[in-house]
Every structure is written in structure tokens, then in C-alpha cells.
Amino acid sequence: MTTFGRLPFPISLTGEGVALREWTSEDLDDLVDLLDEPDIARWTPMPSPFDVAAGIAYLKRAQQGRVTGQRIQLAITADGGKPLGEVLLFGMDLGLKEAELGYLVGAPFRRRGLASGALGLLSGFAHGALGLSRLLLRIDPANTASTAVARRCGFRLTGEPPILQEGPYGPSSLDTWELVEAHADIRRDRLRNVATRRYGRRP
Ligand SMILES: CC(C)(COP(=O)(O)OP(=O)(O)OC[C@H]1O[C@@H](n2cnc3c(N)ncnc32)[C@H](O)[C@@H]1OP(=O)(O)O)[C@@H](O)C(=O)NCCC(=O)NCCS
């Protein structure tokens, strides 16, 4: 793994039921299929319709962000093959040791735990390998699927004032959720304890 600027590249992570890998130009058709979809248009800043030209621009920007070390944008896959969604880390503040994360999953692949698996895996990497202590999500409270993912991964509402923004669907507000390292450790311990109770302690 080489480091371009601040963030390592390339990255591949496996665990929590998913395999995360770098995007490649061969993913273009799958990317367009995934992102040209009403919920993604509604809840993310993706252009809509998301056509081949948008896909080419998106992959180019993702690659630039990786090479300059500003962002991590990884395809969510089951086994390293076909992309089923995306998880990303951006807006890293080294002074505050914090960064923002985001995620999306293609409509046919939802409600299988992919977003929560990918978010849990990248959060663990951000805390462990990148040394970040506070991870943030910004979510419209009406986006029940996304708030469920945040809760399932141990994120908590911060109570910070909502971020107001204008979009093609009118004004909206984004709540800030956070995962601080100590809470993530407690959650991991709880999950481990549940596993130990269920399956017995491994030698
Ligand atoms: C939000 C999104 C990424 C969820 O992906 P997913 O892979 O289906 O999520 P998961 O399968 O990991 O589900 C995690 C939890 O959310 C719940 N959930 C998922 N979709 C839901 C929905 N439409 N309504 C209510 N709960 C939902 C699941 O039941 C699960 O809850 P549990 O912990 O009680 O089991 C997906 O719906 C999506 O891509 N939406 C459009 C893009 C988007 O909103 N991105 C986030 C922007 S902030």
C-alpha cells in the first residue's frame, strides 16, 4: 500500500459480510446502473439522471481524490467482484482527528446489511489505521433507511444545529451523527460478548 498525501492507496478491506475495494474504469456500467435511481437522487448530491457521462466524471473524480489522498471512495462488493454500492470517507480534519463518511447501496441489493457492514468496516479502519477519533454522518431525518444504518453502527445524534441546504427537492436539513472511538470500542465489546454467550469462548 502506498501513501499519496494523507490517505493510503490502494485499500481493500474485508469483514462484516462485505469486501471493499477501489473503483476501476471497468465498473462504469455497474456504477451507472447503481446510481441512476430515485432514492439516490433524493438523498445524495448525485446528478440525476446519472448517465454514462456522469459515471465517467464520477470515476475520474474518485480516482483523483484517491491519488491526492483527500478522500477514500470504495466500491462495496460481496467478494471483491461486482460493485453493489459505495462507502466513502472525506472532509478529514487531522487537527480535530475527525472525518465524514457516506454510503449508498444499489436498489436491488438493499436490506441485506451491506451499508451497515461497509460503514462498520470503514469506521474500524478510520479509527484503527488512520487514527481518527471522531467520525461524522450528516443525514436528513426523513431518510429512515440511513438513520437506521447510523444507529445500527453505533452512531449517535450530536444535537448540533441542523445544516440547512437547498436542493432540487426543496429545502432540507441534515442532522449530525457521530461515532467516537470509545463508543465504537464499547459496541465491539458488546457484540463480542453476545457472540461469546451464543457460541462459547474460543480457546
Ligand atoms: C440508506 C441505504 C444505504 C441503506 O442500505 P442497506 O444496505 O439497505 O442498509 P442495511 O441493510 O445495512 O440496513 C441497516 C438497517 O437499516 C434498516 N433499513 C434499511 N432500509 C430501510 C428502510 N427503507 N426503511 C427502514 N429501515 C431500513 C434495516 O432494516 C437495518 O435495520 P436493523 O438494524 O434494524 O436490521 C440505502 O437505502 C440507500 O442507498 N439509500 C439511498 C442513498 C442514501 O440515502 N444514502 C445515505 C445518505 S445520508
Side-chain angles (χ1 to χ4, degrees):
M1 194 170 354
T2 10
T3 303
F4 290 96
R6 293 169 298 173
L7 293 169
F9 173 84
I11 296 174
S12 67
L13 303 171
T14 305
E16 306 215 16
V18 295
L20 307 180
R21 65 158 172 83
E22 301 289 346
W23 287 104
T24 77
S25 53
E26 287 174 18
D27 293 319
L28 178 61
D29 290 346
D30 285 324
L31 179 78
V32 172
D33 283 351
L34 290 174
L35 269 58
D36 191 30
E37 191 272 328
D39 282 340
I40 290 178
R42 172 72 182 86
W43 300 119
T44 76
M46 298 299 165
S48 178
F50 193 96
D51 55 16
V52 170
I56 291 170
Y58 193 77
L59 287 175
K60 194 171 165 199
R61 181 157 180 259
Q63 196 201 3
Q64 275 166 356
R66 300 299 293 115
V67 170
T68 57
Q70 291 170 324
R71 297 157 74 87
I72 291 176
Q73 259 180 273
L74 299 173
I76 305 173
T77 76
D79 52 10
K82 184 180 165 65
L84 310 174
E86 179 182 64
V87 62
L88 55 158
L89 180 143
F90 55 100
M92 193 165 74
D93 185 321
L94 284 177
L96 295 173
K97 288 188 154 189
E98 68 180 33
E100 191 173 337
L101 293 112
Y103 40 80
L104 57 88
V105 167
F109 313 111
R110 291 184 187 150
R111 311 214 62 159
R112 298 182 190 175
L114 290 173
S116 18
L119 181 63
L121 191 56
L122 189 54
S123 299
F125 180 79
H127 281 148
L130 303 181
L132 298 174
S133 49
R134 185 170 182 250
L135 303 176
L136 303 171
L137 300 172
R138 315 264 192 213
I139 306 177
D140 188 316
N143 188 349
T144 45
S146 188
T147 56
V149 172
R151 251 187 222 102
R152 179 158 159 180
C153 290
F155 283 74
R156 297 173 183 186
L157 273 169
T158 61
E160 284 167 39
I163 299 166
L164 304 176
Q165 59 179 22
E166 280 297 327
Y169 295 88
S172 66
S173 71
L174 299 178
D175 288 338
T176 299
W177 295 69
E178 69 176 354
L179 182 70
V180 293
E181 203 168 6
H183 296 164
D185 289 346
I186 292 166
R187 181 180 165 265
R188 264 195 296 275
D189 284 348
R190 278 199 196 126
L191 289 175
R192 213 172 288 135
N193 290 340
V194 169
T196 306
R197 279 201 298 279
R198 278 193 195 145
Y199 307 116
R201 195 174 292 280
R202 300 254 161 103

